[in-house]
Coordinates of all heavy atoms in Angstrom, one line a residue:
M15 N 0.8 -1.2 0.0 CA 0.0 0.0 0.0 C 0.9 1.2 0.0 O 1.9 1.3 0.7 CB -0.9 0.0 1.2 CG -1.9 1.1 1.3 SD -3.0 1.2 2.7 CE -3.5 -0.5 2.9
E16 N 0.6 2.2 -0.8 CA 1.3 3.4 -0.9 C 0.4 4.6 -0.6 O -0.8 4.6 -0.8 CB 1.9 3.6 -2.3 CG 3.1 2.8 -2.6 CD 4.3 3.2 -1.8 OE1 4.6 4.4 -1.7 OE2 5.1 2.3 -1.4
F17 N 1.0 5.7 0.0 CA 0.3 6.9 0.2 C 0.9 8.0 -0.5 O 2.1 8.1 -0.7 CB 0.3 7.2 1.7 CG -0.5 6.2 2.5 CD1 0.1 5.1 3.1 CD2 -1.9 6.3 2.7 CE1 -0.7 4.2 3.8 CE2 -2.7 5.4 3.4 CZ -2.0 4.3 3.9
C18 N 0.1 8.9 -1.0 CA 0.5 10.0 -1.9 C 1.4 11.0 -1.1 O 1.1 11.4 0.0 CB -0.7 10.8 -2.4 SG -0.3 12.2 -3.5
D19 N 2.6 11.3 -1.7 CA 3.5 12.3 -1.1 C 2.9 13.7 -1.1 O 3.3 14.5 -0.3 CB 4.8 12.3 -1.8 CG 5.6 11.0 -1.7 OD1 5.4 10.3 -0.7 OD2 6.4 10.7 -2.6
D20 N 2.0 14.0 -2.0 CA 1.4 15.3 -2.1 C 0.3 15.6 -1.2 O 0.3 16.6 -0.5 CB 1.0 15.6 -3.6 CG 2.1 15.7 -4.5 OD1 3.3 15.9 -4.1 OD2 1.9 15.7 -5.8
C21 N -0.7 14.7 -1.1 CA -1.9 14.9 -0.3 C -2.1 13.9 0.8 O -3.0 14.1 1.6 CB -3.1 15.0 -1.2 SG -3.6 13.4 -1.9
G22 N -1.4 12.8 0.8 CA -1.5 11.8 1.9 C -2.6 10.8 1.7 O -2.8 9.9 2.5
S23 N -3.3 10.8 0.5 CA -4.4 9.8 0.3 C -3.8 8.5 -0.2 O -2.6 8.4 -0.6 CB -5.3 10.3 -0.8 OG -6.0 11.5 -0.4
M24 N -4.5 7.4 0.0 CA -4.1 6.1 -0.5 C -4.0 6.1 -2.0 O -4.9 6.5 -2.7 CB -5.0 5.0 0.1 CG -4.5 3.6 -0.2 SD -5.4 2.4 0.7 CE -7.0 2.5 0.0
M25 N -2.9 5.5 -2.5 CA -2.8 5.4 -4.0 C -3.2 4.0 -4.4 O -3.2 3.1 -3.7 CB -1.3 5.7 -4.3 CG -0.8 7.0 -3.9 SD 0.9 7.4 -4.3 CE 0.7 7.9 -6.0
K26 N -3.6 3.9 -5.7 CA -4.0 2.7 -6.3 C -3.0 2.2 -7.4 O -2.4 3.1 -8.0 CB -5.4 2.8 -6.9 CG -6.4 3.1 -5.9 CD -7.8 3.1 -6.5 CE -8.8 3.4 -5.4 NZ -10.1 3.2 -5.7
A27 N -2.9 0.9 -7.5 CA -1.9 0.4 -8.5 C -2.5 0.5 -9.9 O -3.7 0.2 -10.1 CB -1.6 -1.1 -8.2
D28 N -1.7 1.0 -10.9 CA -2.1 1.1 -12.3 C -0.9 0.7 -13.1 O 0.0 1.6 -13.3 CB -2.6 2.5 -12.6 CG -3.1 2.6 -14.0 OD1 -3.4 1.6 -14.6 OD2 -3.2 3.8 -14.5
D29 N -0.8 -0.5 -13.6 CA 0.3 -1.0 -14.3 C 1.6 -0.8 -13.5 O 1.7 -1.4 -12.5 CB 0.4 -0.4 -15.7 CG -0.7 -0.8 -16.6 OD1 -1.2 -2.0 -16.5 OD2 -1.2 0.0 -17.4
E30 N 2.5 -0.1 -14.0 CA 3.8 0.1 -13.3 C 3.9 1.4 -12.5 O 4.9 1.8 -12.0 CB 5.0 0.2 -14.4 CG 5.1 -1.0 -15.2 CD 5.4 -2.3 -14.4 OE1 6.3 -2.2 -13.5 OE2 4.8 -3.3 -14.7
L31 N 2.7 2.0 -12.2 CA 2.6 3.2 -11.4 C 1.7 3.1 -10.3 O 0.7 2.3 -10.3 CB 2.1 4.4 -12.3 CG 3.0 4.8 -13.5 CD1 2.2 5.8 -14.4 CD2 4.3 5.3 -13.0
W32 N 1.9 4.0 -9.2 CA 1.0 4.2 -8.2 C 0.3 5.5 -8.6 O 0.9 6.5 -8.9 CB 1.7 4.4 -6.8 CG 2.2 3.1 -6.3 CD1 3.5 2.8 -6.2 CD2 1.5 2.1 -5.7 NE1 3.6 1.5 -5.6 CE2 2.4 1.1 -5.3 CE3 0.1 1.8 -5.5 CZ2 2.0 -0.1 -4.6 CZ3 -0.3 0.6 -4.9 CH2 0.7 -0.3 -4.5
V33 N -1.1 5.6 -8.5 CA -1.8 6.7 -8.9 C -2.7 7.1 -7.7 O -3.5 6.3 -7.2 CB -2.7 6.5 -10.2 CG1 -3.5 7.7 -10.6 CG2 -1.8 6.0 -11.3
C34 N -2.6 8.4 -7.4 CA -3.5 9.0 -6.3 C -4.9 9.2 -6.8 O -5.0 9.9 -7.8 CB -2.9 10.2 -5.7 SG -3.9 10.9 -4.4
S35 N -5.9 8.7 -6.2 CA -7.3 8.9 -6.6 C -7.8 10.2 -6.2 O -8.8 10.7 -6.8 CB -8.2 7.8 -6.0 OG -8.1 7.7 -4.6
S36 N -7.1 10.9 -5.3 CA -7.6 12.3 -4.9 C -7.0 13.4 -5.8 O -7.7 14.2 -6.3 CB -7.2 12.5 -3.5 OG -7.9 11.6 -2.6
C37 N -5.7 13.4 -5.9 CA -5.0 14.6 -6.6 C -4.4 14.2 -7.9 O -4.0 15.0 -8.7 CB -4.0 15.2 -5.7 SG -2.5 14.2 -5.5
G38 N -4.4 12.9 -8.3 CA -3.8 12.4 -9.6 C -2.3 12.3 -9.6 O -1.8 11.9 -10.6
H39 N -1.6 12.5 -8.5 CA -0.2 12.4 -8.5 C 0.2 10.9 -8.8 O -0.5 10.0 -8.4 CB 0.4 12.7 -7.1 CG 1.8 12.4 -6.9 ND1 2.8 13.2 -7.4 CD2 2.5 11.4 -6.2 CE1 4.0 12.8 -7.1 NE2 3.8 11.7 -6.4
K40 N 1.3 10.8 -9.6 CA 1.7 9.4 -10.1 C 3.2 9.2 -9.6 O 4.0 10.2 -9.6 CB 1.6 9.3 -11.6 CG 0.2 9.3 -12.1 CD 0.1 9.2 -13.6 CE -1.3 9.3 -14.1 NZ -1.4 9.2 -15.5
Q41 N 3.5 8.0 -9.3 CA 4.9 7.6 -9.0 C 5.1 6.2 -9.4 O 4.2 5.4 -9.3 CB 5.2 7.9 -7.5 CG 4.5 7.0 -6.5 CD 4.8 7.4 -5.1 OE1 4.7 8.6 -4.7 NE2 5.1 6.5 -4.3
P42 N 6.3 5.9 -9.8 CA 6.6 4.5 -10.2 C 6.6 3.5 -9.0 O 6.9 3.9 -7.9 CB 8.0 4.6 -10.8 CG 8.6 5.8 -10.3 CD 7.5 6.7 -9.9
K43 N 6.2 2.3 -9.3 CA 6.2 1.3 -8.2 C 7.7 0.8 -8.0 O 8.5 1.0 -8.8 CB 5.5 0.0 -8.7 CG 4.0 0.2 -8.7 CD 3.4 -1.1 -9.1 CE 1.9 -1.0 -9.3 NZ 1.3 -2.3 -9.7
D44 N 7.9 0.3 -6.8 CA 9.2 -0.2 -6.4 C 9.4 -1.5 -7.1 O 8.7 -2.5 -6.8 CB 9.4 -0.3 -4.9 CG 10.7 -0.8 -4.5 OD1 11.6 -1.0 -5.3 OD2 10.9 -1.1 -3.3
P45 N 10.4 -1.7 -8.0 CA 10.5 -2.9 -8.8 C 11.0 -4.1 -7.9 O 10.8 -5.2 -8.3 CB 11.5 -2.6 -9.9 CG 12.3 -1.4 -9.4 CD 11.3 -0.7 -8.5
S46 N 11.6 -3.8 -6.8 CA 12.1 -4.9 -5.9 C 11.1 -5.4 -4.9 O 11.3 -6.4 -4.3 CB 13.3 -4.4 -5.1 OG 13.0 -3.4 -4.3
A47 N 9.9 -4.8 -4.8 CA 8.8 -5.2 -3.9 C 8.1 -6.4 -4.4 O 7.9 -6.6 -5.6 CB 7.8 -4.1 -3.7
S48 N 7.8 -7.3 -3.5 CA 7.0 -8.5 -3.9 C 5.6 -8.3 -3.5 O 5.2 -7.7 -2.5 CB 7.6 -9.7 -3.1 OG 8.9 -10.0 -3.4
F49 N 4.7 -8.9 -4.4 CA 3.3 -8.7 -4.2 C 2.5 -10.1 -4.3 O 3.0 -10.9 -5.1 CB 2.6 -7.7 -5.1 CG 3.1 -6.3 -5.0 CD1 4.2 -5.9 -5.7 CD2 2.5 -5.5 -4.0 CE1 4.7 -4.6 -5.5 CE2 3.0 -4.2 -3.8 CZ 4.0 -3.8 -4.6
V50 N 1.4 -10.2 -3.6 CA 0.6 -11.3 -3.8 C -0.8 -10.8 -4.2 O -1.3 -9.9 -3.5 CB 0.4 -12.1 -2.4 CG1 -0.6 -13.2 -2.5 CG2 1.8 -12.7 -2.0
V51 N -1.4 -11.3 -5.2 CA -2.7 -10.8 -5.7 C -3.7 -12.0 -5.5 O -3.5 -13.1 -6.0 CB -2.6 -10.4 -7.1 CG1 -4.0 -10.0 -7.6 CG2 -1.6 -9.3 -7.4
T52 N -4.7 -11.7 -4.7 CA -5.8 -12.6 -4.5 C -7.0 -12.1 -5.2 O -7.3 -10.9 -5.0 CB -6.0 -12.8 -2.9 OG1 -4.8 -13.1 -2.3 CG2 -7.1 -13.8 -2.7
E53 N -7.7 -13.0 -5.9 CA -8.9 -12.5 -6.6 C -9.9 -11.8 -5.7 O -10.2 -12.3 -4.6 CB -9.5 -13.7 -7.3 CG -10.6 -13.3 -8.2 CD -11.2 -14.5 -9.0 OE1 -10.4 -15.4 -9.4 OE2 -12.4 -14.6 -9.1
G54 N -10.3 -10.6 -6.1 CA -11.3 -9.9 -5.4 C -10.7 -9.0 -4.3 O -11.4 -8.4 -3.6
Q55 N -9.4 -9.0 -4.2 CA -8.7 -8.2 -3.2 C -7.7 -7.3 -3.8 O -7.2 -7.6 -4.9 CB -8.0 -9.0 -2.1 CG -9.0 -9.8 -1.3 CD -8.3 -10.6 -0.2 OE1 -7.1 -10.7 -0.2 NE2 -9.0 -11.1 0.7
E56 N -7.3 -6.2 -3.1 CA -6.2 -5.4 -3.6 C -4.9 -6.0 -3.4 O -4.7 -7.0 -2.7 CB -6.2 -4.0 -2.9 CG -7.5 -3.2 -3.2 CD -7.4 -1.9 -2.5 OE1 -6.3 -1.4 -2.3 OE2 -8.5 -1.3 -2.3
E57 N -3.8 -5.5 -4.1 CA -2.5 -6.1 -3.9 C -2.0 -5.8 -2.5 O -2.2 -4.7 -1.9 CB -1.5 -5.4 -4.9 CG -1.9 -5.8 -6.3 CD -0.9 -5.1 -7.3 OE1 -0.1 -4.3 -6.9 OE2 -1.0 -5.4 -8.5
T58 N -1.3 -6.7 -1.9 CA -0.6 -6.5 -0.6 C 0.8 -7.0 -0.7 O 1.1 -7.9 -1.4 CB -1.4 -7.3 0.5 OG1 -1.3 -8.7 0.1 CG2 -2.8 -6.9 0.7
E59 N 1.7 -6.2 0.0 CA 3.1 -6.6 0.0 C 3.3 -7.8 0.8 O 2.8 -8.0 1.9 CB 3.9 -5.4 0.5 CG 5.4 -5.5 0.3 CD 6.1 -4.3 0.6 OE1 5.5 -3.2 0.7 OE2 7.4 -4.4 0.7
V60 N 4.2 -8.7 0.3 CA 4.6 -9.9 1.0 C 5.7 -9.5 2.0 O 6.7 -8.8 1.6 CB 5.1 -11.0 0.0 CG1 5.6 -12.2 0.8 CG2 3.9 -11.4 -0.9
V61 N 5.6 -10.0 3.2 CA 6.7 -9.8 4.2 C 7.7 -10.9 4.0 O 7.4 -12.1 4.2 CB 6.1 -9.7 5.7 CG1 7.3 -9.6 6.6 CG2 5.1 -8.6 5.8
D62 N 8.9 -10.5 3.7 CA 10.0 -11.5 3.5 C 10.7 -11.7 4.9 O 11.3 -10.8 5.4 CB 11.0 -11.0 2.5 CG 12.2 -12.0 2.3 OD1 12.0 -13.2 2.7 OD2 13.1 -11.6 1.6
V63 N 10.5 -12.9 5.4 CA 11.1 -13.2 6.8 C 12.3 -14.0 6.7 O 12.8 -14.4 7.8 CB 10.0 -13.8 7.7 CG1 8.9 -12.9 8.0 CG2 9.5 -15.1 7.1
S64 N 12.8 -14.3 5.5 CA 14.1 -15.0 5.5 C 15.2 -14.1 6.0 O 15.1 -12.9 5.8 CB 14.4 -15.4 4.0 OG 14.5 -14.3 3.2
D65 N 16.1 -14.7 6.7 CA 17.2 -13.9 7.3 C 16.6 -12.9 8.3 O 16.9 -11.7 8.2 CB 18.1 -13.2 6.3 CG 18.7 -14.2 5.3 OD1 19.1 -15.3 5.8 OD2 18.8 -13.9 4.1
A66 N 15.7 -13.3 9.2 CA 15.0 -12.4 10.1 C 16.0 -11.5 10.9 O 15.7 -10.3 11.0 CB 14.1 -13.2 11.0
Q67 N 17.1 -12.0 11.3 CA 18.0 -11.3 12.1 C 18.6 -10.2 11.3 O 18.8 -9.0 11.7 CB 19.1 -12.2 12.7 CG 20.0 -11.4 13.7 CD 21.0 -12.4 14.4 OE1 20.9 -13.6 14.2 NE2 21.8 -11.8 15.2
D68 N 19.0 -10.5 10.0 CA 19.6 -9.5 9.2 C 18.6 -8.4 8.8 O 19.0 -7.3 8.5 CB 20.1 -10.1 7.9 CG 21.2 -11.1 8.1 OD1 21.9 -11.0 9.2 OD2 21.4 -12.0 7.3
R69 N 17.3 -8.7 8.8 CA 16.3 -7.7 8.5 C 16.0 -6.8 9.7 O 15.2 -5.9 9.6 CB 15.0 -8.3 8.0 CG 15.2 -9.0 6.6 CD 14.0 -9.6 6.1 NE 12.8 -8.8 6.3 CZ 12.4 -7.8 5.5 NH1 13.1 -7.4 4.4 NH2 11.3 -7.1 5.7
G70 N 16.6 -7.1 10.9 CA 16.3 -6.2 12.0 C 15.0 -6.5 12.7 O 14.5 -5.6 13.4
L71 N 14.4 -7.7 12.6 CA 13.2 -8.0 13.3 C 13.5 -8.1 14.8 O 14.5 -8.6 15.2 CB 12.6 -9.3 12.8 CG 12.0 -9.3 11.3 CD1 11.5 -10.7 11.0 CD2 10.9 -8.3 11.2
P72 N 12.6 -7.6 15.6 CA 12.8 -7.6 17.0 C 12.6 -9.0 17.6 O 12.1 -9.9 16.9 CB 11.7 -6.7 17.6 CG 10.6 -6.7 16.6 CD 11.3 -6.9 15.2
T73 N 13.2 -9.3 18.8 CA 13.0 -10.6 19.4 C 12.2 -10.5 20.6 O 12.1 -9.4 21.2 CB 14.4 -11.2 19.7 OG1 15.1 -10.3 20.6 CG2 15.2 -11.5 18.5
T74 N 11.6 -11.6 21.1 CA 10.8 -11.6 22.3 C 11.0 -13.0 23.0 O 11.5 -13.9 22.3 CB 9.3 -11.4 22.0 OG1 8.6 -11.2 23.2 CG2 8.7 -12.5 21.1
S75 N 10.6 -13.1 24.2 CA 10.6 -14.3 24.9 C 9.3 -15.1 24.7 O 8.3 -14.7 25.2 CB 10.8 -14.1 26.4 OG 12.1 -13.5 26.7
V76 N 9.4 -16.1 24.0 CA 8.3 -17.0 23.7 C 8.9 -18.4 23.4 O 9.9 -18.5 22.8 CB 7.4 -16.5 22.5 CG1 8.2 -16.4 21.2 CG2 6.2 -17.2 22.3
V77 N 8.2 -19.5 23.8 CA 8.7 -20.8 23.6 C 8.3 -21.4 22.3 O 7.1 -21.4 21.9 CB 8.1 -21.7 24.8 CG1 8.6 -23.2 24.5 CG2 8.6 -21.2 26.1
C78 N 9.3 -21.8 21.5 CA 9.0 -22.5 20.2 C 8.3 -23.8 20.4 O 8.8 -24.6 21.2 CB 10.4 -22.7 19.5 SG 10.2 -23.6 17.9
P79 N 7.2 -24.1 19.7 CA 6.5 -25.3 19.8 C 7.3 -26.5 19.3 O 7.0 -27.7 19.6 CB 5.3 -25.1 19.0 CG 5.5 -24.0 18.1 CD 6.6 -23.1 18.8
D80 N 8.4 -26.3 18.4 CA 9.1 -27.4 17.9 C 10.4 -27.8 18.7 O 10.6 -28.9 19.0 CB 9.6 -27.0 16.5 CG 8.6 -27.4 15.4 OD1 7.4 -27.7 15.8 OD2 8.9 -27.3 14.2
C81 N 11.2 -26.8 19.1 CA 12.4 -27.1 19.8 C 12.5 -26.6 21.2 O 13.5 -26.7 21.9 CB 13.6 -26.5 19.0 SG 13.7 -24.7 19.0
D82 N 11.5 -25.9 21.8 CA 11.4 -25.4 23.1 C 12.4 -24.3 23.4 O 12.7 -23.9 24.5 CB 11.6 -26.5 24.2 CG 10.4 -27.4 24.2 OD1 9.3 -27.0 23.9 OD2 10.6 -28.6 24.5
N83 N 13.0 -23.7 22.3 CA 13.8 -22.5 22.5 C 13.0 -21.4 23.0 O 11.8 -21.3 22.7 CB 14.4 -22.1 21.1 CG 15.3 -20.9 21.2 OD1 16.1 -20.7 22.1 ND2 15.2 -20.0 20.2
D84 N 13.5 -20.5 23.8 CA 12.7 -19.5 24.5 C 12.9 -18.1 23.9 O 12.6 -17.1 24.5 CB 13.0 -19.4 26.0 CG 14.5 -19.0 26.3 OD1 15.3 -18.9 25.3 OD2 14.8 -18.9 27.5
E85 N 13.3 -18.0 22.6 CA 13.4 -16.7 22.0 C 13.1 -16.8 20.5 O 13.4 -17.8 19.8 CB 14.9 -16.2 22.1 CG 15.0 -14.7 21.7 CD 16.4 -14.2 21.9 OE1 17.4 -14.7 21.4 OE2 16.5 -13.2 22.6
A86 N 12.4 -15.8 20.0 CA 11.9 -15.8 18.6 C 11.9 -14.3 18.1 O 11.7 -13.4 18.8 CB 10.6 -16.4 18.5
H87 N 12.1 -14.2 16.8 CA 11.9 -12.9 16.1 C 10.4 -12.8 15.9 O 9.7 -13.8 15.8 CB 12.6 -12.9 14.7 CG 14.1 -13.0 14.8 ND1 14.8 -11.9 15.3 CD2 14.9 -14.0 14.5 CE1 16.1 -12.3 15.3 NE2 16.2 -13.5 14.8
W88 N 9.8 -11.6 15.8 CA 8.4 -11.5 15.6 C 8.1 -10.3 14.7 O 8.9 -9.4 14.6 CB 7.7 -11.3 16.9 CG 8.0 -10.0 17.7 CD1 9.1 -9.8 18.5 CD2 7.3 -8.8 17.6 NE1 9.1 -8.6 19.0 CE2 8.0 -7.9 18.4 CE3 6.2 -8.4 16.9 CZ2 7.6 -6.6 18.6 CZ3 5.8 -7.1 17.1 CH2 6.4 -6.2 17.9
Y89 N 6.9 -10.3 14.1 CA 6.4 -9.2 13.3 C 4.9 -9.3 13.3 O 4.3 -10.4 13.7 CB 6.9 -9.1 11.9 CG 6.6 -10.2 11.0 CD1 5.5 -10.2 10.2 CD2 7.3 -11.4 11.0 CE1 5.1 -11.2 9.3 CE2 7.0 -12.5 10.2 CZ 5.9 -12.4 9.3 OH 5.5 -13.4 8.5
M90 N 4.2 -8.2 13.1 CA 2.7 -8.2 13.0 C 2.3 -7.9 11.6 O 2.9 -7.1 10.9 CB 2.1 -7.3 14.0 CG 2.5 -7.7 15.5 SD 1.8 -6.5 16.7 CE 0.1 -7.1 16.7
Q91 N 1.1 -8.5 11.2 CA 0.6 -8.2 9.9 C -0.9 -8.3 9.9 O -1.5 -9.2 10.6 CB 1.1 -9.2 8.9 CG 0.8 -8.9 7.4 CD 1.5 -9.8 6.5 OE1 2.2 -10.8 6.9 NE2 1.4 -9.5 5.2
Q92 N -1.6 -7.4 9.2 CA -3.0 -7.4 9.1 C -3.4 -8.3 8.0 O -3.2 -8.1 6.8 CB -3.5 -6.0 8.8 CG -5.0 -5.8 8.8 CD -5.6 -5.8 10.2 OE1 -5.0 -5.3 11.1 NE2 -6.7 -6.5 10.4
I93 N -4.0 -9.5 8.4 CA -4.3 -10.5 7.3 C -5.8 -10.7 7.3 O -6.3 -11.4 6.4 CB -3.6 -11.8 7.6 CG1 -3.9 -12.4 8.9 CG2 -2.1 -11.6 7.4 CD1 -3.4 -13.9 9.1
R94 N -6.5 -10.2 8.3 CA -8.0 -10.4 8.3 C -8.6 -9.0 8.0 O -7.9 -8.1 7.6 CB -8.5 -10.9 9.6 CG -7.9 -12.3 9.9 CD -8.3 -12.8 11.2 NE -7.4 -12.2 12.2 CZ -7.5 -12.2 13.5 NH1 -8.5 -12.9 14.0 NH2 -6.7 -11.6 14.3
S95 N -9.9 -8.9 8.1 CA -10.5 -7.6 7.8 C -10.1 -6.5 8.8 O -9.5 -6.8 9.8 CB -12.1 -7.7 7.9 OG -12.4 -8.1 9.2
A96 N -10.3 -5.3 8.4 CA -9.7 -4.1 9.1 C -10.2 -4.0 10.5 O -9.6 -3.4 11.4 CB -10.0 -2.8 8.3
D97 N -11.4 -4.5 10.8 CA -12.0 -4.4 12.1 C -11.5 -5.6 13.1 O -11.9 -5.6 14.2 CB -13.5 -4.4 12.1 CG -14.1 -5.6 11.6 OD1 -13.4 -6.4 10.9 OD2 -15.3 -5.9 11.8
E98 N -10.6 -6.4 12.6 CA -10.0 -7.5 13.4 C -8.6 -7.1 13.7 O -8.0 -6.3 13.1 CB -9.9 -8.8 12.6 CG -11.3 -9.3 12.1 CD -12.1 -10.0 13.2 OE1 -11.4 -10.4 14.2 OE2 -13.3 -10.0 13.1
S99 N -8.1 -7.6 14.8 CA -6.7 -7.3 15.2 C -5.7 -7.9 14.3 O -6.0 -8.8 13.6 CB -6.5 -7.7 16.7 OG -6.6 -9.1 16.8
E100 N -4.5 -7.4 14.4 CA -3.4 -7.9 13.6 C -3.0 -9.3 14.1 O -3.2 -9.6 15.2 CB -2.2 -7.0 13.7 CG -2.4 -5.7 13.0 CD -1.2 -4.8 13.1 OE1 -0.6 -4.6 14.3 OE2 -0.7 -4.3 12.1
T101 N -2.3 -10.1 13.2 CA -1.8 -11.4 13.6 C -0.3 -11.3 13.9 O 0.4 -10.6 13.1 CB -2.1 -12.4 12.5 OG1 -3.5 -12.4 12.2 CG2 -1.5 -13.8 12.8
R102 N 0.1 -11.9 15.0 CA 1.5 -11.9 15.3 C 2.2 -13.1 14.8 O 1.7 -14.2 15.0 CB 1.7 -11.9 16.9 CG 1.4 -10.5 17.5 CD 1.4 -10.6 19.0 NE 0.4 -11.5 19.6 CZ -0.9 -11.2 19.7 NH1 -1.4 -10.0 19.4 NH2 -1.7 -12.1 20.3
F103 N 3.3 -13.0 14.1 CA 4.1 -14.1 13.5 C 5.4 -14.2 14.2 O 6.0 -13.2 14.6 CB 4.3 -13.9 12.0 CG 3.1 -14.0 11.2 CD1 2.3 -12.8 11.0 CD2 2.7 -15.2 10.6 CE1 1.1 -12.9 10.2 CE2 1.6 -15.3 9.9 CZ 0.8 -14.2 9.6
F104 N 5.8 -15.4 14.5 CA 7.1 -15.7 15.2 C 8.0 -16.6 14.4 O 7.5 -17.4 13.6 CB 6.8 -16.4 16.6 CG 6.0 -15.6 17.5 CD1 4.6 -15.8 17.6 CD2 6.5 -14.6 18.3 CE1 3.8 -15.1 18.5 CE2 5.8 -13.9 19.2 CZ 4.4 -14.1 19.3
I105 N 9.3 -16.3 14.5 CA 10.3 -17.2 13.8 C 11.4 -17.5 14.9 O 12.0 -16.7 15.5 CB 11.0 -16.4 12.7 CG1 10.0 -15.8 11.7 CG2 12.0 -17.3 12.0 CD1 10.6 -14.7 10.9
C106 N 11.5 -18.8 15.2 CA 12.4 -19.3 16.2 C 13.8 -18.9 15.9 O 14.3 -19.0 14.7 CB 12.3 -20.8 16.4 SG 13.4 -21.5 17.6
T107 N 14.6 -18.4 16.9 CA 16.0 -18.0 16.6 C 16.9 -19.2 16.5 O 18.0 -19.1 16.0 CB 16.5 -17.1 17.8 OG1 16.3 -17.7 19.0 CG2 15.7 -15.8 17.8
E108 N 16.5 -20.4 16.9 CA 17.3 -21.6 16.9 C 17.0 -22.4 15.6 O 17.8 -22.6 14.8 CB 17.1 -22.5 18.1 CG 17.8 -22.0 19.3 CD 19.3 -22.1 19.2 OE1 19.8 -23.1 18.7 OE2 20.0 -21.1 19.6
C109 N 15.7 -22.9 15.5 CA 15.4 -23.8 14.4 C 14.7 -23.1 13.2 O 14.4 -23.8 12.2 CB 14.5 -24.9 14.9 SG 12.9 -24.5 15.4
E110 N 14.4 -21.9 13.3 CA 13.7 -21.1 12.3 C 12.3 -21.6 12.0 O 11.7 -21.3 11.0 CB 14.5 -20.9 11.0 CG 15.8 -20.2 11.3 CD 16.5 -19.9 10.0 OE1 16.0 -20.1 8.9 OE2 17.6 -19.4 10.1
H111 N 11.7 -22.3 13.0 CA 10.3 -22.7 12.8 C 9.4 -21.5 12.9 O 9.7 -20.5 13.6 CB 9.9 -23.7 14.0 CG 8.4 -24.0 14.0 ND1 7.8 -24.8 13.1 CD2 7.4 -23.6 14.9 CE1 6.5 -24.9 13.4 NE2 6.3 -24.2 14.5
R112 N 8.4 -21.4 12.1 CA 7.5 -20.3 12.0 C 6.1 -20.6 12.5 O 5.6 -21.7 12.1 CB 7.4 -19.7 10.6 CG 8.8 -19.3 10.1 CD 8.8 -19.0 8.7 NE 10.2 -18.7 8.3 CZ 10.5 -18.2 7.1 NH1 9.6 -18.0 6.2 NH2 11.8 -18.0 6.8
W113 N 5.5 -19.8 13.3 CA 4.1 -20.0 13.7 C 3.5 -18.6 13.9 O 4.1 -17.6 13.9 CB 4.1 -20.9 15.0 CG 4.5 -20.3 16.2 CD1 3.7 -19.7 17.2 CD2 5.9 -20.1 16.7 NE1 4.5 -19.3 18.3 CE2 5.8 -19.5 18.0 CE3 7.1 -20.4 16.2 CZ2 7.0 -19.2 18.7 CZ3 8.3 -20.1 16.9 CH2 8.2 -19.5 18.1
R114 N 2.1 -18.6 14.1 CA 1.4 -17.4 14.3 C 0.5 -17.5 15.5 O 0.2 -18.6 16.0 CB 0.6 -17.0 13.1 CG -0.5 -17.9 12.8 CD -1.1 -17.6 11.5 NE -2.6 -17.8 11.5 CZ -3.4 -17.6 10.5 NH1 -2.9 -17.2 9.4 NH2 -4.7 -17.8 10.6
E115 N 0.1 -16.3 16.0 CA -0.7 -16.2 17.2 C -1.8 -15.2 16.8 O -1.5 -14.0 16.5 CB 0.1 -15.7 18.3 CG -0.6 -15.6 19.6 CD 0.3 -15.2 20.7 OE1 1.0 -16.0 21.3 OE2 0.3 -14.0 21.0
D116 N -3.1 -15.6 16.9 CA -4.2 -14.8 16.6 C -4.9 -14.5 18.0 O -4.9 -15.3 18.9 CB -5.3 -15.5 15.7 CG -4.7 -15.7 14.3 OD1 -4.1 -14.8 13.8 OD2 -4.9 -16.9 13.9
D117 N -5.5 -13.3 18.0 CA -6.4 -13.0 19.2 C -7.7 -13.7 18.9 O -8.2 -13.7 17.8 CB -6.7 -11.5 19.3 CG -5.4 -10.8 19.8 OD1 -4.5 -11.4 20.4 OD2 -5.3 -9.5 19.5
N118 N -8.2 -14.3 20.0 CA -9.5 -15.0 19.8 C -10.6 -14.2 20.4 O -10.6 -13.4 21.1 CB -9.5 -16.4 20.5 CG -8.5 -17.3 19.8 OD1 -8.3 -17.2 18.6 ND2 -7.9 -18.2 20.5

């Protein structure tokens, strides 16, 4: 998702450009960004969690369900509707097992 540098409105994808629906400002898309397109939904950027430590992801004290290590990298992502809370994703610092935690 991109926001307009001129007016702050949300921009929409149009071929190789981001176009502001409010003021018409255009800017090129970042060619290195990864996207996942699901039918009926807008494009969303994929979070690359490979090399989590190199990407500067924070760590927290949580027990890995695979190896019982007590530390993991974490990040949050909105994967459900906007009125639902974000989902927390964890990556074990030892075995790199990945799991998520949703609010119920």
